[in-house]
Amino acid sequence: MTDCCAHESPESGDARFDIMKVADGVYAAVAAPAYKVNCNTAIIESDDGVVIVDTHSKPSAARVIVDRLRELTPKPVRYVINTHFHWDHWHGNEVYPAAHPGAEIVSNDITREAMRRKGLKRIDDHRRQVPVEIAKLKADLAAAGTPAERKQLEANVRLAEAYLAEVRTLQPALPTIVFEQTMKLYRRDREIHLLHLGRAHTEGDVFVYLPKEKIVITGDAMIGWTPYMGDGYPEDWVGTLDRLAQLDFTHIIMGHGEVAGRDWLRTFRSYVHDMVEAVRHEVAAGATLDEVKQRVPTKLAPTYEKAFSKYGEYRPWRAGLLANIERTFAMVS
Ligand SMILES: [Zn+2]
């Protein structure tokens, strides 16, 4: 893997990506961690056009990718795949049909329905909630003690304000093509499989699999830090990852974090498994939520804290774990 495109290009937004070549014509645009998170994008070039996987939290971030695509290929974007319904993976959808007329947005029917029922409502929620969030950040800024704290909070205020401006004018673009279990794109030089393997991070997670190149794109069913389970199914997650593990691949382009190998799949799967089993064990023994939140981190930290702290500055392991425990406790109780 090489960093193919380190030079600066004219970028239209504040999102920053490292574009890595994963195989010939297949790239991972790895988003720099930030206060307002952007997802990674996978870029798959074929003989007649480009397939994009996921579109970030706001149109300007997707426009950064549209600009940088010109460094890679003159071909048009034909398909945009959404892996799930979360804001940071589809709010940039509108950019692609505008920049590449005829581009289709593809997901499974479960994810399109989740966007329609929940995603659209959350856009309204964000329009109401982000001003409150900005006011809180500004109050924190006024009270900040150190120059480093001030600098961080100022950057967070800028990102929150930029996000608010864009979410206010968002033109949500829902998928134009949906599938149920599987959809396959056969291009002259490439096969692209879209798979629903069961519930994990959401009810409709889509995996994109390139069998010849041995690459899988997971959305947030696998990420580089502690998974978010707020809309997830912790008890189903391991089974879904086990079905994923049956595929033949060597490289994993995740929803967030750097490109990984199968070793990270093993670690990630075993974290989800051990967390769920530890919570189940405590619940069966009659423990309260407070007791579970005391005991389970102590049990898991020696094995997992270091591995899941690579992006700890942005996504602290312990906060993520406690949220996972709460979700799992609610699901198994
Ligand atoms: Zn995400």
Side-chain angles (χ1 to χ4, degrees):
M1 223 178 304
T2 54
D3 188 347
C4 77
C5 309
H7 66 278
E8 283 297 311
S9 64
E11 292 185 351
S12 50
D14 50 41
R16 292 288 173 270
F17 299 94
D18 271 333
I19 298 189
M20 317 289 293
K21 180 176 170 180
V22 186
D24 278 346
V26 183
Y27 305 89
V30 177
Y35 171 72
K36 280 290 176 197
V37 69
N38 275 303
C39 68
N40 297 337
T41 274
I43 298 165
I44 306 163
E45 185 185 355
S46 290
D47 55 300
D48 65 341
V50 175
V51 174
I52 294 283
V53 185
D54 283 342
T55 68
H56 322 295
S57 61
K58 54 186 183 178
S60 67
R63 262 180 232 117
V64 172
I65 296 295
V66 167
D67 285 347
R68 294 198 60 185
L69 264 179
R70 297 196 188 99
E71 300 165 16
L72 304 175
T73 175
K75 292 173 190 165
V77 174
R78 292 201 184 277
Y79 297 100
V80 175
I81 299 165
N82 290 137
T83 58
H84 62 290
F85 80 96
H86 283 158
W87 66 290
D88 57 315
H89 294 256
W90 75 284
H91 279 188
N93 278 5
E94 64 182 81
V95 167
Y96 285 95
H100 296 277
E104 302 275 4
I105 300 168
V106 185
S107 193
N108 60 5
D109 50 356
I110 304 173
T111 292
R112 188 183 191 281
E113 188 57 15
M115 286 173 178
R116 204 182 60 75
R117 282 192 301 110
K118 296 185 278 193
L120 295 178
K121 182 182 168 298
R122 288 182 190 185
I123 290 170
D124 286 337
D125 293 344
H126 286 190
R127 287 170 178 159
R128 277 199 315 276
Q129 291 162 353
V130 178
V132 178
E133 181 184 329
I134 291 169
K136 163 94 171 58
L137 286 169
K138 285 184 172 168
D140 291 348
L141 178 59
T146 68
E149 269 179 273
R150 288 192 60 82
K151 193 164 170 251
Q152 187 60 60
L153 284 163
E154 280 165 2
N156 294 355
V157 168
R158 274 198 303 279
L159 284 176
E161 287 179 337
Y163 176 68
L164 178 61
E166 292 200 59
V167 81
R168 276 184 170 149
T169 55
L170 205 67
Q171 306 281 325
L174 295 172
T176 52
I177 297 177
V178 299
F179 63 97
E180 287 192 12
Q181 288 301 316
T182 304
M183 172 171 165
K184 294 182 179 177
L185 295 171
Y186 293 94
R187 320 321 291 176
R188 197 177 306 143
D189 56 345
R190 214 183 283 292
E191 272 182 41
I192 303 168
H193 298 188
L194 283 62
L195 309 168
H196 178 54
L197 301 173
R199 302 191 296 192
H201 177 64
T202 67
E203 62 268 52
D205 299 332
V206 173
F207 294 90
V208 181
Y209 176 49
L210 307 177
K212 284 189 218 156
E213 299 79 4
K214 299 189 193 296
I215 295 167
V216 73
I217 301 147
T218 63
D220 289 0
M222 279 186 69
I223 61 173
W225 55 74
T226 318
Y228 173 72
M229 294 185 168
D231 295 303
Y233 296 84
E235 295 175 279
D236 295 4
W237 204 311
V238 168
T240 299
L241 292 180
D242 285 344
R243 284 184 283 281
L244 177 70
Q246 287 168 15
L247 304 175
D248 180 20
F249 58 84
T250 54
H251 289 77
I252 309 169
I253 302 176
M254 303 189 288
H256 303 276
E258 282 157 25
V259 177
R262 293 191 77 105
D263 54 335
W264 183 244
L265 171 57
R266 283 187 288 274
T267 303
F268 191 94
R269 181 224 181 259
S270 120
Y271 162 71
V272 177
H273 174 271
D274 290 0
M275 188 276 298
V276 170
E277 286 310 309
V279 172
R280 267 193 192 133
H281 176 81
E282 293 292 343
V283 168
T288 64
L289 177 59
D290 280 345
E291 288 166 340
V292 180
K293 285 165 75 175
Q294 285 293 321
R295 291 173 193 157
V296 173
T298 308
K299 192 171 175 186
L300 298 186
T303 313
Y304 297 110
E305 182 167 10
K306 188 163 176 285
F308 283 90
S309 294
K310 200 173 165 198
Y311 304 87
E313 192 190 331
Y314 291 93
R315 291 293 181 275
W317 135 267
R318 200 181 166 82
L321 170 61
L322 290 174
N324 288 177
I325 291 169
E326 282 183 23
R327 173 75 175 176
T328 307
F329 184 90
M331 301 292 264
V332 304
S333 289

